[in-house]
Amino acid sequence: MSIPDRVIAIIADQAMLEPSDVTLDSSLEDLGVDSLGLVESIFAIEEAFDITVPFNANEPSVGDFDISTVGAIAASVQRLVAEQS
């Protein structure tokens, strides 16, 4: 499974949606993911990919990890995975 597909699956699980309901263009807000769901998604992503996400839950718009859309999250995860290799 590709990184974007795994990120979609994780976010869909957190949002209690089917992966087919989540697109790379979806925002977390569109999917009904609240701040707690976002934090839980970040933890799940860290565990799934064995990475540390530079994320401040108090200031989600600050930092290198873009959470504007599912696609942006997937791209950020891909970058972190590549940096770890």
Side-chain angles (χ1 to χ4, degrees), residues 6 42-51:
R6 288 174 68 192
I42 297 293
F43 284 144
I45 287 168
E46 286 181 325
E47 191 173 301
F49 294 99
D50 193 29
I51 58 174

mmCIF file of all heavy atoms in Angstrom, residues 6 42-51:
data_model
loop_
_atom_site.group_PDB
_atom_site.id
_atom_site.type_symbol
_atom_site.label_atom_id
_atom_site.label_comp_id
_atom_site.label_asym_id
_atom_site.label_seq_id
_atom_site.Cartn_x
_atom_site.Cartn_y
_atom_site.Cartn_z
ATOM 1 N N ARG A 6 -2.139 4.637 2.684
ATOM 2 C CA ARG A 6 -2.091 4.343 4.118
ATOM 3 C C ARG A 6 -2.562 5.527 4.940
ATOM 4 O O ARG A 6 -3.283 5.363 5.925
ATOM 5 C CB ARG A 6 -0.677 3.929 4.534
ATOM 6 C CG ARG A 6 -0.302 2.536 4.029
ATOM 7 C CD ARG A 6 1.132 2.170 4.310
ATOM 8 N NE ARG A 6 1.390 1.982 5.731
ATOM 9 C CZ ARG A 6 2.613 1.877 6.254
ATOM 10 N NH1 ARG A 6 3.675 1.946 5.471
ATOM 11 N NH2 ARG A 6 2.777 1.694 7.543
ATOM 12 N N ILE A 42 -2.469 11.884 14.029
ATOM 13 C CA ILE A 42 -1.017 12.108 14.036
ATOM 14 C C ILE A 42 -0.316 10.959 14.755
ATOM 15 O O ILE A 42 0.678 10.409 14.268
ATOM 16 C CB ILE A 42 -0.664 13.468 14.683
ATOM 17 C CG1 ILE A 42 -1.240 14.632 13.882
ATOM 18 C CG2 ILE A 42 0.840 13.607 14.877
ATOM 19 C CD1 ILE A 42 -0.660 14.846 12.509
ATOM 20 N N PHE A 43 -0.854 10.569 15.922
ATOM 21 C CA PHE A 43 -0.254 9.444 16.667
ATOM 22 C C PHE A 43 -0.285 8.166 15.826
ATOM 23 O O PHE A 43 0.690 7.416 15.779
ATOM 24 C CB PHE A 43 -0.980 9.199 17.995
ATOM 25 C CG PHE A 43 -0.664 10.196 19.072
ATOM 26 C CD1 PHE A 43 -1.642 10.593 19.961
ATOM 27 C CD2 PHE A 43 0.608 10.740 19.217
ATOM 28 C CE1 PHE A 43 -1.374 11.509 20.979
ATOM 29 C CE2 PHE A 43 0.893 11.654 20.215
ATOM 30 C CZ PHE A 43 -0.098 12.041 21.099
ATOM 31 N N ALA A 44 -1.416 7.909 15.160
ATOM 32 C CA ALA A 44 -1.548 6.700 14.335
ATOM 33 C C ALA A 44 -0.576 6.732 13.161
ATOM 34 O O ALA A 44 0.022 5.709 12.802
ATOM 35 C CB ALA A 44 -2.993 6.557 13.850
ATOM 36 N N ILE A 45 -0.399 7.909 12.557
ATOM 37 C CA ILE A 45 0.545 8.057 11.443
ATOM 38 C C ILE A 45 1.969 7.818 11.934
ATOM 39 O O ILE A 45 2.745 7.113 11.281
ATOM 40 C CB ILE A 45 0.384 9.443 10.781
ATOM 41 C CG1 ILE A 45 -0.917 9.479 9.965
ATOM 42 C CG2 ILE A 45 1.592 9.792 9.919
ATOM 43 C CD1 ILE A 45 -1.336 10.864 9.494
ATOM 44 N N GLU A 46 2.318 8.392 13.085
ATOM 45 C CA GLU A 46 3.660 8.190 13.636
ATOM 46 C C GLU A 46 3.929 6.703 13.861
ATOM 47 O O GLU A 46 4.999 6.196 13.524
ATOM 48 C CB GLU A 46 3.818 8.950 14.959
ATOM 49 C CG GLU A 46 3.951 10.437 14.793
ATOM 50 C CD GLU A 46 4.142 11.176 16.102
ATOM 51 O OE1 GLU A 46 3.560 10.770 17.128
ATOM 52 O OE2 GLU A 46 4.890 12.165 16.085
ATOM 53 N N GLU A 47 2.947 6.016 14.417
ATOM 54 C CA GLU A 47 3.109 4.587 14.698
ATOM 55 C C GLU A 47 3.196 3.764 13.409
ATOM 56 O O GLU A 47 4.051 2.890 13.272
ATOM 57 C CB GLU A 47 1.932 4.107 15.550
ATOM 58 C CG GLU A 47 2.113 2.722 16.117
ATOM 59 C CD GLU A 47 0.992 2.375 17.084
ATOM 60 O OE1 GLU A 47 0.819 3.097 18.085
ATOM 61 O OE2 GLU A 47 0.303 1.378 16.821
ATOM 62 N N ALA A 48 2.333 4.067 12.451
ATOM 63 C CA ALA A 48 2.285 3.296 11.207
ATOM 64 C C ALA A 48 3.558 3.425 10.388
ATOM 65 O O ALA A 48 3.995 2.473 9.749
ATOM 66 C CB ALA A 48 1.077 3.726 10.376
ATOM 67 N N PHE A 49 4.153 4.628 10.403
ATOM 68 C CA PHE A 49 5.319 4.887 9.555
ATOM 69 C C PHE A 49 6.624 4.956 10.334
ATOM 70 O O PHE A 49 7.672 5.186 9.746
ATOM 71 C CB PHE A 49 5.113 6.184 8.762
ATOM 72 C CG PHE A 49 3.995 6.105 7.765
ATOM 73 C CD1 PHE A 49 2.748 6.631 8.059
ATOM 74 C CD2 PHE A 49 4.181 5.501 6.536
ATOM 75 C CE1 PHE A 49 1.704 6.556 7.147
ATOM 76 C CE2 PHE A 49 3.150 5.418 5.615
ATOM 77 C CZ PHE A 49 1.913 5.945 5.925
ATOM 78 N N ASP A 50 6.551 4.768 11.656
ATOM 79 C CA ASP A 50 7.735 4.832 12.521
ATOM 80 C C ASP A 50 8.494 6.142 12.306
ATOM 81 O O ASP A 50 9.691 6.154 12.053
ATOM 82 C CB ASP A 50 8.638 3.617 12.303
ATOM 83 C CG ASP A 50 9.693 3.490 13.394
ATOM 84 O OD1 ASP A 50 9.424 3.934 14.531
ATOM 85 O OD2 ASP A 50 10.792 2.976 13.117
ATOM 86 N N ILE A 51 7.748 7.243 12.391
ATOM 87 C CA ILE A 51 8.321 8.580 12.228
ATOM 88 C C ILE A 51 7.885 9.447 13.411
ATOM 89 O O ILE A 51 6.969 9.075 14.148
ATOM 90 C CB ILE A 51 7.866 9.257 10.907
ATOM 91 C CG1 ILE A 51 6.331 9.366 10.837
ATOM 92 C CG2 ILE A 51 8.451 8.544 9.704
ATOM 93 C CD1 ILE A 51 5.808 10.132 9.651
#
